[in-house]
Amino acid sequence: MEMKTFCSSMRNEMTAWKAKTYDLIRKAEDMSPKPNPRVKASIDEMKGMISRIEGMLEKLERECPVKWDSEKAEIEQAVCDIQERWNEAASMSPDDFE
């Protein structure tokens, strides 16, 4: 896969993850003014991972390295990590937000 295509695809995916994350934040805030610390930690981790991935994408686009397999693998793993955090936070019952 060409790097620019990969970066564009990942940027779109990060936009989708941001939207999902902020929807989860709103849901948590609607359920309780002070969400469960585990939910907050998962959300904070997802936000940090998204920022890190966006930074990596910016670097790739700026530097245009010939070999970028390690960066690609790292980004793909980070996306998997975001999915795990999402599953953790989204699976908690409404009672966990109190």
Side-chain angles (χ1 to χ4, degrees):
M1 176 183 283
E2 183 185 321
M3 184 192 62
K4 291 186 185 229
T5 303
F6 175 79
C7 288
S8 176
S9 174
M10 283 293 108
R11 283 200 178 283
N12 291 337
E13 190 164 343
M14 290 306 101
T15 298
W17 277 113
K18 282 181 184 179
K20 288 174 78 171
T21 301
Y22 290 113
D23 285 345
L24 186 61
I25 290 168
R26 281 194 304 273
K27 180 180 174 184
E29 288 173 349
D30 288 347
M31 291 182 178
S32 174
K34 189 172 183 178
N36 179 304
R38 292 184 325 179
V39 174
K40 183 175 178 348
S42 289
I43 290 170
D44 289 344
E45 284 181 50
M46 287 188 321
K47 288 166 52 176
M49 288 178 207
I50 291 167
S51 292
R52 191 179 95 224
I53 290 169
E54 288 178 328
M56 293 172 69
L57 293 170
E58 287 174 14
K59 183 179 177 189
L60 278 175
E61 291 170 330
R62 184 178 58 251
E63 296 177 0
C64 296
V66 174
K67 295 189 183 233
W68 56 283
D69 291 339
S70 63
E71 290 90 343
K72 180 181 179 196
E74 188 175 347
I75 290 169
E76 289 172 339
Q77 180 58 53
V79 171
C80 290
D81 293 342
I82 291 171
Q83 180 68 48
E84 284 181 31
R85 295 298 167 275
W86 169 261
N87 290 338
E88 287 174 12
S91 69
M92 294 180 192
S93 75
D95 294 339
D96 290 334
F97 289 104
E98 299 179 343

